[in-house]
């Protein structure tokens, strides 16, 4: 395994861990929203938006 192979492997691993960390961070901070919903355009029809509307 050459130096270039190691560099590529490290970059791919760092990118994967970074993407997974970003998704976990957004989920923990409740910024994920619903699938296909930005919680503003659905008119509170999805379960996630309904829960937010009920709390207000």
């Amino acid at each position: 395994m050459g130096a270039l192979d190691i560099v590529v492997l490290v970059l791919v691993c760092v990118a994967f861990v970074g993407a997974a960390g970003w998704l976990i961070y957004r989920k923990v901070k409740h910024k994920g929203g619903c699938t296909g919903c930005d919680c503003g355009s659905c008119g509170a029809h999805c379960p996630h938006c309904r829960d937010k509307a009920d709390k207000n």
Side-chain angles (χ1 to χ4, degrees):
M1 190 184 294
L4 183 62
D5 294 334
I6 293 171
V7 169
V8 169
L9 182 62
V10 167
L11 287 175
V12 169
C13 290
V14 167
F16 176 78
V17 169
W22 177 251
L23 291 174
I24 291 169
Y25 170 78
R26 287 183 51 88
K27 187 68 172 178
V28 168
K29 292 296 182 178
H30 304 290
K31 295 182 180 181
C34 304
T35 306
C37 170
D38 63 359
C39 291
S41 64
C42 71
H45 291 127
C46 68
H48 181 258
C49 295
R50 258 185 284 171
D51 291 342
K52 282 184 177 178
D54 290 342
K55 289 180 183 176
N56 292 335

